[in-house]
Amino acid sequence: MLKTDARIGSLELLLDELTSDEREKFNRIYKVYSSQGWLQIPESMKQWAEKQFGSVDAVTSQRIVRVLNTVTYEDAMFNPIRSLRPMQLKSNADLYKMLSETQNDPLESPLDGTPADIFGRIKGDHRS
């Protein structure tokens, strides 16, 4: 049986712990895929990434887990590092309060405050 303290990032390892009968039942409905995602962290974010996530490498290379329900064709993608982001909101009111008090919003200067994909950034006509 699956451990109750399991994290989605280790789902495939946990599935390996199932008995063959349990695994067969799981596989009747679900497929689990994992892949690696990569980002480029701007120099201006490196110190923050180290403080928030423990290292820049934790952000530049991230494990992505996809779970597909083969009956309904619904699926979900999970990125375990996202749970480490500094945001604990309980309501929309908390969100509005946080946004009104926000200083140094990373989206004010997205080239310095957000990571880029490994192929670079997409630039359009509406860029400020």
Side-chain angles (χ1 to χ4, degrees):
M1 204 59 177
L2 292 177
K3 297 175 184 173
T4 58
D5 65 344
R7 296 198 180 265
I8 195 72
S10 53
L11 180 58
E12 289 172 305
L13 295 172
L14 295 167
L15 292 173
D16 288 342
E17 295 178 11
L18 295 176
T19 66
S20 59
D21 186 49
E22 290 170 327
R23 184 64 186 249
E24 182 183 334
K25 289 175 184 175
F26 180 89
N27 288 339
R28 285 184 204 160
I29 299 173
Y30 299 104
K31 298 286 183 212
V32 177
Y33 306 92
S34 64
S35 61
Q36 205 66 26
W38 293 274
L39 294 172
Q40 294 177 352
I41 306 301
E43 196 63 40
S44 57
M45 283 187 67
K46 288 184 177 177
Q47 185 177 7
W48 176 84
E50 287 176 359
K51 179 181 177 189
Q52 188 62 42
F53 302 107
S55 74
V56 172
D57 290 340
V59 180
T60 58
S61 178
Q62 300 179 28
R63 182 175 175 80
I64 311 297
V65 177
R66 177 179 172 224
V67 179
L68 170 67
N69 181 320
T70 61
V71 176
T72 65
Y73 290 100
E74 295 172 299
D75 66 355
M77 294 180 73
F78 302 93
N79 178 341
I81 198 167
R82 290 183 65 84
S83 68
L84 302 175
R85 292 180 304 166
M87 185 178 283
Q88 299 295 325
L89 301 174
K90 294 182 177 142
S91 70
N92 283 344
D94 289 345
L95 173 62
Y96 295 127
K97 180 180 178 190
M98 182 194 76
L99 290 174
S100 69
E101 296 172 351
T102 297
Q103 295 178 351
N104 303 320
D105 180 356
L107 297 179
E108 284 182 26
S109 179
L111 299 179
D112 295 321
T114 64
D117 284 305
I118 59 169
F119 56 79
R121 294 182 185 270
I122 298 173
K123 297 176 183 169
D125 294 337
H126 302 287
R127 196 179 122 220
S128 56

